[in-house]
C-alpha cells in the first residue's frame, strides 16, 4: 500500500514512528507537508500537487495536523477524501475536535461527564460566571490554547474576576471550568484507535504545577483504566467521529470527567509509558479501511 502521512516535520517522533511501522509491514510511506500542498479544484477531478508533482495512487492518509494550521490542513484532508482516499482522521471530525467549545457541547449532549464549564461573550458579570463553576479556585482556558499554553489557575475570587476582566478587555475568548481538587494535578490519556483503547497513561504535573502536560515538565506512567473510564474514552471518541483520538480526562469523585479529545495525539509519551507499539495499531487501522 501507499500511505501518506501529513506532517510539517518528518523528524518528529510520531511521524518517524509511523513511517517505521508502515515500512516494517512493507508499505510505501510518504511524508507530505500539508502546508506546501496545492489543491486543484476541477469538475470531478480533484487533485493535489506537491513540489511540482501530482500526488496519485494513494491508498490511505494519516493526518498529523498542527493546531495552528487547522484550516488549511483540514482542506488538504478534505481534498484526499474527494479523491476517494481513506483518511484515518476525517476532515469534519478534525474540525469538531479543534473547536473546544463545540466539542464540549457535543460531549455534553452525548451524556459524558465534564467539569462544570461556562463560556460567555465577554460578559461583564464575571462574579456570576465564577459562582456558576463552583467558585475559586477555577481554571480559565483560552479557546485557541494547546499543550497547556493559555491555561490559568485562579486561586481566589478576586484573581479569577481580574483575569476574566483582563481577557475580556483583550477580547480573548475563554472558557471557565471548575477546578477538580481530587485529581491532584494529574490526568489520564486514553489512546483510542478504531473503537479500542490501545494504551493509557497517567500524566502527573511537576510539583507546584496543576497542568499535567508532558511539554510542561509532567511525567507519565502506564495505568489500567477502570471500565467506566474506558467506556467514557470510547464514547467521547465516537461522539466526535474520531477513529484515532487521545482522550484526556480527570479522575473525580463523580467519575471520569472529559477535559479534551485530541485528534492528533502524540506517540512519544504513550509509547514510552506503555511500551506498546501504538504506531502499528494506527497502520493496521489504515490497512483495514483503505481500499
Amino acid at each position: 500500500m501507499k500511505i501518506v502521512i501529513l506532517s510539517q516535520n518528518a523528524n518528529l517522533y510520531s511521524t518517524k514512528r509511523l513511517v517505521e511501522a508502515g515500512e516494517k509491514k512493507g508499505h510505501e510511506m510518504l511524508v507530505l507537508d500539508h502546508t506546501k500542498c496545492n489543491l486543484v479544484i476541477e469538475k470531478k477531478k480533484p487533485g493535489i500537487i506537491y513540489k511540482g508533482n501530482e500526488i496519485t495512487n494513494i491508498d490511505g492518509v494519516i493526518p498529523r495536523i498542527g493546531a495552528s494550521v487547522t484550516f488549511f490542513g483540514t482542506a488538504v484532508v478534505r481534498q484526499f477524501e474527494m479523491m476517494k482516499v481513506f483518511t484515518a482522521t476525517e476532515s469534519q471530525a478534525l474540525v469538531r475536535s479543534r473547536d473546544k467549545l463545540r466539542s464540549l457541547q457535543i460531549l455534553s449532549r452525548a451524556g459524558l461527564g465534564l467539569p462544570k464549564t461556562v463560556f460567555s461573550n465577554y460578559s461583564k458579570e464575571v462574579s456570576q460566571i465564577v459562582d456558576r463553576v463552583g467558585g475559586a479556585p477555577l481554571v480559565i482556558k483560552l479557546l485557541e490554547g494547546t499543550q497547556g499554553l493559555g491555561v490559568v489557575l485562579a486561586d481566589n475570587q478576586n484573581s479569577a474576576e481580574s483575569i476574566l476582566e483582563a481577557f475580556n478587555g483583550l477580547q480573548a475568548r475563554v472558557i471557565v471550568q471548575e477546578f477538580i481538587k481530587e485529581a491532584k494535578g494529574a490526568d489520564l490519556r486514553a489512546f483510542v484507535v478504531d473503537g479500542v483503547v490501545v494504551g493509557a497513561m497517567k500524566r502527573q504535573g511537576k510539583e507546584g504545577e496543576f497542568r499535567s502536560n508532558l511539554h510542561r515538565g509532567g511525567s507519565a506512567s502506564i495505568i489500567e483504566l477502570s471500565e467506566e473510564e474506558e467506556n467514557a474514552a470510547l464514547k467521547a471518541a465516537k461522539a466526535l467521529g474520531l477513529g484515532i483520538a487521545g482522550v484526556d480526562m480527570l479522575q473525580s469523585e463523580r467519575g471520569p470527567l472529559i477535559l479534551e479529545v485530541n485528534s492528533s495525539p502524540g506517540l512519544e509519551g504513550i509509547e514510552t509509558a506503555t511500551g506498546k507499539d501504538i504506531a502499528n495499531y494506527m497502520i493496521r487501522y489504515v490497512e483495514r479501511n483503505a481500499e
Side-chain angles (χ1 to χ4, degrees):
M1 291 175 63
K2 196 173 180 180
I3 300 174
V4 163
I5 300 169
L6 294 176
S7 172
Q8 287 184 269
N9 188 347
N11 293 317
L12 290 175
Y13 177 93
S14 299
T15 305
K16 289 195 294 185
R17 282 289 298 115
L18 287 166
V19 170
E20 180 183 298
E23 290 180 343
K24 190 175 180 180
K25 303 197 78 175
H27 303 306
E28 181 182 352
M29 305 297 293
L30 299 177
V31 178
L32 304 185
D33 181 347
H34 37 283
T35 65
K36 292 181 171 63
C37 290
N38 294 319
L39 311 183
V40 180
I41 314 294
E42 188 179 349
K43 182 179 179 181
K44 294 187 177 180
K45 194 182 177 183
I48 295 176
I49 306 296
Y50 185 73
K51 294 184 177 179
N53 298 311
E54 188 172 2
I55 303 301
T56 58
N57 302 318
I58 303 301
D59 297 294
V61 175
I62 302 175
R64 304 289 305 172
I65 310 296
S68 62
V69 291
T70 297
F71 175 79
F72 191 75
T74 302
V76 176
V77 175
R78 190 162 52 241
Q79 190 79 347
F80 274 111
E81 291 170 345
M82 290 171 63
M83 294 162 64
K84 308 212 181 304
V85 176
F86 171 75
T87 59
T89 301
E90 294 182 359
S91 57
Q92 282 305 306
L94 179 58
V95 170
R96 280 193 294 267
S97 68
R98 287 288 161 78
D99 185 332
K100 288 185 180 180
L101 179 59
R102 184 181 180 190
S103 63
L104 287 174
Q105 290 172 320
I106 292 170
L107 295 172
S108 171
R109 185 177 62 193
L112 285 151
L114 301 166
K116 291 177 186 174
T117 303
V118 172
F119 173 79
S120 70
N121 190 38
Y122 311 127
S123 171
K124 290 183 169 59
E125 308 296 333
V126 292
S127 61
Q128 290 184 15
I129 292 173
V130 172
D131 292 340
R132 290 296 296 179
V133 298
L138 54 77
V139 178
I140 300 171
K141 298 180 179 179
L142 280 171
L143 279 181
E144 292 80 18
T146 60
Q147 298 179 348
L149 295 171
V151 181
V152 180
L153 175 65
D155 292 313
N156 56 62
Q157 183 89 10
N158 286 337
S159 65
E161 292 182 14
S162 296
I163 293 168
L164 279 173
E165 287 169 352
F167 277 132
N168 287 346
L170 294 169
Q171 293 198 322
R173 294 198 177 278
V174 298
I175 55 176
V176 182
Q177 288 187 326
E178 69 173 312
F179 177 66
I180 308 301
K181 184 179 180 181
E182 61 266 30
K184 298 178 180 177
D187 71 5
L188 307 181
R189 160 67 65 91
F191 204 107
V192 179
V193 179
D194 199 15
V196 177
V197 174
V198 297
M201 63 179 172
K202 184 172 186 175
R203 303 184 298 187
Q204 180 68 55
K206 63 183 180 181
E207 190 173 349
E209 175 62 77
F210 77 100
R211 295 168 296 183
S212 59
N213 304 73
L214 302 184
H215 292 85
R216 312 231 65 77
S219 58
S221 58
I222 189 171
I223 188 172
E224 186 172 341
L225 299 179
S226 68
E227 185 176 350
E228 186 180 15
E229 290 163 349
E230 184 170 341
N231 287 339
L234 295 176
K235 192 173 181 180
K238 184 177 181 180
L240 292 175
L242 290 168
I244 295 173
V247 182
D248 297 339
M249 51 191 159
L250 297 175
Q251 293 175 306
S252 79
E253 293 172 350
R254 59 182 191 266
L257 304 178
I258 306 296
L259 282 175
E260 189 175 7
V261 183
N262 194 317
S263 53
S264 294
L267 295 179
E268 187 170 9
I270 193 76
E271 288 197 335
T272 302
T274 64
K276 291 185 175 182
D277 188 351
I278 303 295
N280 183 54
Y281 286 105
M282 295 171 68
I283 296 297
R284 285 166 56 187
Y285 173 45
V286 175
E287 290 174 339
R288 287 193 297 270
N289 289 274
E291 292 182 0

